[in-house]
Amino acid sequence: MADRWFAKYGEAAVFFGRMLPVVRTFISLPAGIAGVNIYRFILFTFLGALPWCYLLAYIGVKMGEQWEHLRDYFHQFDIVIGLSLALALGYFLWSHWPKRRITRSCNPPMLSIYNTLTGEKEPFQSLQPKTVRMYVCGVTVYDYCHIGHARSALVFDVIRRYLEFSDYKVEFVKNFTDVDDKIIKRANEQGVSCDTITAKYIQAYYEDMERLGIRQASIEPKATEHMTDIIRLTETLVKKGLAYQVDGDVYFEVAKYSAYGRLSKRRLDDMQAGARVDVDERKRHPMDFALWKSSKPGEPSWDSPWGPGVPAGTSNALPCPCATLGETFDIHGGGMDLIFPHHENEIAQSCGATGKEFARYWIHNGFVQINQEKMSKSLGNFFTIQEIFEKSQWPQDETGEVAALFSCSGPITVAPLDFSDQGLQEARKALDGFYGFISAAQ
């Protein structure tokens, strides 16, 4: 019985056995191209092959004598079927080869951020899908920008560009502090108005940033443009019992805000009034900081519930981002020197007034040192951006690229950057090597 069956239908069984891998491939190939993992691919193959084995055997038995005609028909297409199978398998391997999947259309690696607030490196996740709202403290416009300002501006320009490269819409705010004791002092020294001083140095700032190739922020507000918001915020803190008035001045009472010191990791009981904190016997605690200061005769002033005066400290900057970005946004940044007291005070004011977090991630770039010494005017190692370009041996465009590459070399957060002629020379060599590689690749 078995011998007669194989003699009659054996060739059909062999043919369909040979066709089985082809059929199985065309069943499982769509699943593979769809991007399923290897385990699902095996499952598709198994489920596809098992029923076809039984189906093909049944067809082979039922065809009987008509197999001769079907065999002649299929033999004409052996080559076509083989080529189709080879092309299908080739496309499958090409599309699933790991190196081929690294393309611009793929999502860039997840951005991780060292968050000063938590002291940990955290994966970045924006509050709104594919939108990042970022605020960086700008300059007080009473003098030319120095290389510390340059590094901060370059670092956050790179962060902004990377986020945009990662298909985020970036709403970037950087403010100008255009009302401050230093501005008033400089105006009195030169016998001009404060507006004259601020206009001069804002223009100089834009010129410096253009030399360095740094783009302007989305919005660059001035403190004087938000005076109503500044006064309203101060009133809110007074009404909530977090601030108090003394002779036309208003102070924030740090003892009333229990979380004070969480950014800088300091305890209020251990804090002492230092060089960056004005000692005033009228304050209830040495660390209480001014929100509003009464004006002296001849100084600029704005009317307020506490009399004519000007905003003080963080009050100059705080309302600027809130008016555009909202009460809570994604990233707040600046130099490490701003962690305390400036940013610590910002948190106290904003959280005290709104009851909400001011920013989700806090990023601080490292200090700039000169030949491993702290940069300061008293040590005579203080350089403005203009001086760097004036003393450079290279054309302006090259100097800007070298300065940009050097400022972003090494870790951009926490670690200081040692500025030196040798460092600039090394950055120039690295830049030449980069351009040489690009030229060779082209």
Side-chain angles (χ1 to χ4, degrees), residues 406-426:
F406 176 75
S407 296
C408 293
S409 60
I412 62 175
T413 59
V414 183
L417 176 70
D418 188 52
F419 186 87
S420 64
D421 290 338
Q422 180 181 355
L424 289 177
Q425 293 290 346
E426 292 175 353

Side-chain angles (χ1 to χ4, degrees), residues 58-339:
Y58 177 78
I59 293 175
V61 173
K62 289 294 184 180
M63 285 179 59
E65 302 299 335
Q66 296 184 14
W67 162 244
E68 294 293 332
H69 303 291
L70 186 65
R71 182 190 63 180
D72 294 337
Y73 177 78
F74 271 112
H75 280 344
Q76 297 177 18
F77 292 91
D78 280 347
I79 297 177
V80 176
I81 293 174
L83 289 175
S84 299
L85 177 60
L87 291 173
L89 290 175
Y91 174 76
F92 175 80
L93 294 174
W94 178 85
S95 62
H96 286 71
W97 197 258
K99 292 183 179 181
R100 298 296 303 179
R101 301 187 70 176
I102 304 176
T103 63
R104 175 64 183 88
S105 60
C106 297
N107 292 328
M110 180 180 292
L111 174 65
S112 294
I113 292 178
Y114 179 81
N115 189 351
T116 308
L117 184 63
T118 62
E120 297 179 354
K121 194 173 184 180
E122 304 174 354
F124 176 74
Q125 185 175 2
S126 59
L127 293 170
Q128 297 180 3
K130 304 310 292 182
T131 298
V132 177
R133 293 173 296 166
M134 181 169 68
Y135 168 54
V136 175
C137 288
V139 295
T140 301
V141 283
Y142 74 99
D143 204 346
Y144 294 107
C145 293
H146 53 69
I147 56 176
H149 296 138
R151 190 189 192 200
S152 180
L154 284 161
V155 163
F156 289 101
D157 185 58
V158 169
I159 293 175
R160 178 227 198 140
R161 290 173 187 266
Y162 179 81
L163 289 169
E164 291 177 339
F165 169 78
S166 303
D167 296 326
Y168 283 97
K169 175 186 176 183
V170 181
E171 299 175 10
F172 184 22
V173 176
K174 184 188 292 186
N175 72 308
F176 288 112
T177 299
D178 61 340
V179 53
D180 185 85
D181 289 341
K182 296 176 181 178
I183 296 174
I184 296 173
K185 180 180 178 182
R186 182 61 57 89
N188 290 335
E189 290 173 350
Q190 298 185 10
V192 296
S193 67
C194 290
D195 290 342
T196 301
I197 295 296
T198 57
K200 173 183 178 180
Y201 292 112
I202 287 175
Q203 180 60 35
Y205 168 86
Y206 283 130
E207 293 173 357
D208 288 339
M209 296 303 108
E210 185 177 356
R211 291 191 187 102
L212 293 169
I214 297 173
R215 293 163 52 193
Q216 293 187 21
S218 308
I219 301 176
E220 297 180 332
K222 302 174 184 176
T224 53
E225 297 172 346
H226 292 270
M227 202 57 63
T228 301
D229 298 325
I230 293 172
I231 294 173
R232 185 184 301 117
L233 173 64
T234 306
E235 285 185 294
T236 299
L237 293 171
V238 172
K239 291 177 180 178
K240 288 191 171 187
L242 295 172
Y244 57 92
Q245 175 187 0
V246 180
D247 301 329
D249 298 339
V250 181
Y251 292 92
F252 186 94
E253 189 171 0
V254 293
K256 294 289 184 70
Y257 182 67
S258 59
Y260 190 77
R262 63 191 177 110
L263 179 68
S264 56
K265 311 300 185 292
R266 304 187 184 199
R267 290 167 46 87
L268 184 59
D269 294 340
D270 299 333
M271 294 181 189
Q272 299 293 328
R276 298 199 64 179
V277 180
D278 293 333
V279 178
D280 191 334
E281 296 297 332
R282 301 176 303 164
K283 296 195 294 186
R284 298 176 183 176
H285 188 282
M287 300 306 298
D288 290 352
F289 56 91
L291 303 175
W292 186 267
K293 299 173 77 172
S294 57
S295 295
K296 299 176 182 178
E299 293 183 348
S301 64
W302 284 262
D303 292 332
S304 76
W306 317 282
V310 294
T314 53
S315 295
N316 285 322
L318 195 58
C320 295
C322 294
T324 303
L325 304 179
E327 294 176 339
T328 304
F329 46 90
D330 297 293
I331 297 174
H332 190 7
M336 284 190 64
D337 56 321
L338 298 180
I339 295 177

Side-chain angles (χ1 to χ4, degrees), residues 367-426:
F367 291 115
V368 174
Q369 298 177 340
I370 306 296
N371 296 319
Q372 300 184 350
E373 289 185 331
K374 181 180 178 180
M375 183 179 67
S376 68
K377 291 183 178 180
S378 61
L379 294 176
N381 61 356
F382 182 90
F383 297 104
T384 65
I385 298 174
Q386 287 188 352
E387 290 173 335
I388 298 299
F389 279 88
E390 290 172 356
K391 296 178 181 179
S392 174
Q393 57 184 301
W394 308 303
Q396 178 173 300
D397 291 346
E398 293 183 20
T399 301
E401 291 182 330
V402 169
L405 178 61
F406 176 75
S407 296
C408 293
S409 60
I412 62 175
T413 59
V414 183
L417 176 70
D418 188 52
F419 186 87
S420 64
D421 290 338
Q422 180 181 355
L424 289 177
Q425 293 290 346
E426 292 175 353

